[in-house]
Amino acid sequence: LTADAQAVVDEIESEDVDFLRIQFTDILGTVKNVSIPASQVEKAFTEGIYFDGSSIEGFVRIQESDMRLIPDPATFAILPWRTRDDGTAAARLIADVVDTSTGDRFVGDPRHVLRRAIRRAGDMGYTLNAGPEPEFFLFEEDEDGRATTITHDAGGYFDLAPKDLASDIRRDIIYGLESMGFEVEASHHEVAEGQHEIDFKYDDALTTADNIATFRSVVRAIAAEHDTHATFMPKPIAGINGSGMHTHLSLFTEGGENAFHDEDDEFNLSEVAKQFLAGVLEHAPAITAICNPTVNSYKRLVPGYEAPVYIAWSDVNRSALVRKPDSRTPAASRIELRSPDPACNPYLAIAVMLHAGLDGIERGLEAPAPVRENIYEFDEAKREEYGIETLPPNLGRAVDALEEDEVIREALGEHVTSKFVEAKRAEFSEYKTQVSQWELDRYLEKF
Ligand code: ADP
Ligand code: MG
Ligand code: MG
Ligand code: MG
Ligand code: MG
């Protein structure tokens, strides 16, 4: 065993862990679990855990279905909501996936896609730091324990003393996250009723993607303990703000310097930062399919609810796709991509953001001037004058944009691209055949 793996084995012993969940994520971002008794953990580290990949969404064809999970010791964490009265506990490890037919990392494993992006950045001398701001709603359950869209409270943005359960639930979620090693930087009630945001500290790309996956399961599990349903669905209620997951990005050099910082620049952004920003803007249509992967995601990306619609950046306002936040220290110089939503596959989303930015650096792309006015108020002529394009308006168009972008296709690899496109085309086709309540309300009696 490696020293890291041995440390996990020791902790399993000392913390009385009796079961381990070995986790990985499918292409669509769903976390899969294989449960093993703690006695099997050494074998899991040395030999891996075999499973049948054909039963996992978008993984493989039936005839080539043998996969092996290699747990990553750095991801060991005790599940805070699973500690039992007798003191025994359950823990989890996140795994990489190996294709047993070749012995190589499996090309359809989203963690592998992200590792490839990280390697490309490393070859260029950079480490990506990513900090997400995931938002979610807490809804009540009905008598049968099913989720409703009835919000839990009537609080508003930065309401410091909500009178009810929601703040207790949020506090328990934060305790749970902290016990799993998260550094929670801020949490607050969001603009909409029942909506919350918890920000945790940025970290390297892989850790952050793992953290987002973990975050979603912790939030759901702890909400469920309080008989509420937490949802990361991007726009559960029409007419109020949806849930986003703004993602803050910067590149650090091997020496630990922030390559995005330039003291002398008007925006404190280096040339490298601006090229990265230009790459993100150039590939924005294609990465939308990955960062906003559901039919419902596009109900959020509309004017009027603080979500981005136009492909532009700004150092002063929050209507743009990319914002340059105030940074008080060199380490905090970063850009914020405001389009992603918390339904995305975090591994693929961070991978495509990173590749988009690296492409901008490699090609020396030039960032446009920041837009300081409120873009929502521009008419079409003014947008044309500024050369501002819009994000894809629906999932179908986003998938088109993905298919047309060679750089992003390559970022995902042929396997993930084709499986993702196939699944999302089917999802969008099915949606198009549905008849919504809005249509019935509008037309049933009129015609
Ligand atoms: P907002 O002003 O959009 O609400 P927040 O201050 O809530 O932004 O979010 C800040 C996020 O940015 C946190 O996750 C934080 O850790 C992260 N962050 C801070 N510095 C960096 C950096 N250099 N690179 C990437 N992320 C960073
Ligand atoms: Mg925030
Ligand atoms: Mg904030
Ligand atoms: Mg927010
Ligand atoms: Mg933000």
Side-chain angles (χ1 to χ4, degrees):
L1 290 186
T2 64
D4 288 352
Q6 188 58 52
V8 169
V9 172
D10 294 345
E11 200 172 340
I12 284 172
E13 183 104 341
S14 64
E15 297 295 324
D16 221 349
V17 171
D18 55 2
F19 270 92
L20 274 160
R21 287 192 201 171
I22 311 298
Q23 303 182 328
F24 59 101
T25 301
D26 70 8
I27 290 174
L28 301 183
T30 309
V31 176
K32 307 284 174 181
N33 283 286
V34 179
S35 197
I36 61 167
S39 59
Q40 298 298 304
V41 69
E42 290 191 37
K43 194 168 151 220
F45 280 130
T46 52
E47 293 171 28
I49 296 157
Y50 289 82
F51 76 103
D52 175 7
S54 65
S55 56
I56 306 300
E57 184 85 52
F59 251 43
V60 273
R61 292 191 299 272
I62 305 291
Q63 64 269 29
E64 42 179 1
S65 58
D66 279 337
M67 297 283 153
R68 190 156 54 93
L69 299 174
I70 311 283
D72 179 346
T75 64
F76 178 78
I78 290 175
L79 302 173
W81 65 93
R82 293 292 303 271
T83 308
R84 287 175 287 269
D85 293 337
D86 66 358
T88 59
R92 73 87 201 263
L93 281 163
I94 296 173
D96 292 286
V97 185
V98 166
D99 182 344
T100 53
S101 65
T102 60
D104 295 332
R105 291 293 153 107
F106 176 49
V107 290
D109 176 11
R111 216 168 181 252
H112 175 71
V113 171
L114 182 54
R115 282 188 186 278
R116 276 202 295 118
I118 292 166
R119 204 173 315 132
R120 179 177 174 204
D123 289 344
M124 292 168 74
Y126 301 118
T127 305
L128 177 73
N129 282 312
E133 301 180 72
E135 295 172 335
F136 57 93
F137 279 84
L138 286 178
F139 288 132
E140 289 183 10
E141 291 177 343
D142 65 16
E143 287 114 53
D144 304 324
R146 303 203 45 158
T148 68
T149 53
I150 300 164
T151 59
H152 214 83
D153 62 273
Y157 192 60
F158 277 102
D159 188 342
L160 283 179
K163 311 109 210 127
D164 57 347
L165 202 59
S167 62
D168 290 353
I169 301 175
R170 209 170 62 222
R171 187 199 56 211
D172 283 357
I173 290 169
I174 292 167
Y175 287 157
L177 291 167
E178 286 175 343
S179 83
M180 292 181 80
F182 281 69
E183 192 174 322
V184 174
E185 289 191 327
S187 87
H188 58 83
H189 202 288
E190 263 299 343
V191 179
E193 267 182 33
Q195 195 186 28
H196 302 270
E197 173 179 312
I198 297 174
D199 303 334
F200 46 91
K201 190 170 192 271
Y202 72 88
D203 215 318
D204 67 88
L206 189 66
T207 305
T208 293
D210 285 340
N211 281 346
I212 294 167
T214 302
F215 178 85
R216 292 192 299 214
S217 41
V218 171
V219 170
R220 279 197 213 97
I222 292 177
E225 281 196 332
H226 290 271
D227 300 317
T228 55
H229 182 80
T231 185
F232 293 95
M233 178 180 177
K235 185 90 172 187
I237 300 175
I240 61 175
N241 282 19
S243 293
M245 190 175 71
H246 301 167
T247 304
H248 296 251
L249 304 165
S250 66
L251 294 177
F252 279 31
T253 62
E254 270 148 29
E257 302 268 298
N258 187 350
F260 273 18
H261 184 73
D262 181 353
E263 204 65 52
D264 303 325
D265 179 70
E266 164 180 23
F267 312 109
N268 282 347
L269 286 179
S270 67
E271 202 52 36
V272 162
K274 287 179 188 162
Q275 291 168 346
F276 189 98
L277 163 59
V280 170
L281 295 180
E282 165 135 337
H283 296 290
I287 69 176
T288 304
I290 299 293
C291 295
N292 307 90
T294 69
V295 161
N296 183 252
S297 298
Y298 298 84
K299 309 279 163 85
R300 168 178 166 258
L301 299 176
V302 297
Y305 299 98
E306 298 180 19
V309 179
Y310 303 109
I311 301 176
W313 77 281
S314 179
D315 59 324
V316 291
N317 73 53
R318 291 171 180 256
S319 59
L321 176 65
V322 178
R323 181 173 73 103
K324 163 66 179 67
D326 282 341
S327 44
R328 267 167 249 105
T329 62
S333 279
R334 62 190 189 271
I335 61 168
E336 176 191 35
L337 183 63
R338 299 172 53 78
S339 56
D341 69 52
C344 70
N345 179 325
Y347 301 95
L348 299 183
I350 294 176
V352 294
M353 293 176 214
L354 179 51
H355 277 285
L358 295 178
D359 186 55
I361 296 174
E362 237 169 47
R363 288 162 57 204
L365 294 182
E366 210 170 299
V371 178
R372 292 201 155 124
E373 296 134 278
N374 186 345
I375 315 173
Y376 294 140
E377 285 161 13
F378 284 17
D379 58 18
E380 218 175 303
K382 189 142 186 212
R383 281 204 303 277
E384 223 155 86
E385 178 196 323
Y386 280 66
I388 298 172
E389 314 263 358
T390 58
L391 290 174
N394 59 48
L395 182 60
R397 293 271 290 280
V399 173
D400 292 341
L402 170 61
E403 282 201 296
E404 285 160 17
D405 190 318
E406 232 9 89
V407 171
I408 301 306
R409 295 182 60 118
E410 212 169 285
L412 296 169
E414 207 33 59
H415 180 95
V416 171
T417 301
S418 65
K419 297 287 180 191
F420 185 85
V421 165
E422 187 188 338
K424 293 299 160 182
R425 287 232 181 278
E427 188 173 332
F428 191 60
S429 298
E430 189 182 320
Y431 167 67
K432 280 194 296 187
T433 66
Q434 302 302 308
V435 176
S436 67
Q437 191 59 46
W438 181 88
E439 288 161 277
L440 291 174
D441 293 346
R442 183 126 181 168
Y443 307 126
L444 189 62
E445 290 174 14
K446 190 168 177 191
F447 297 103

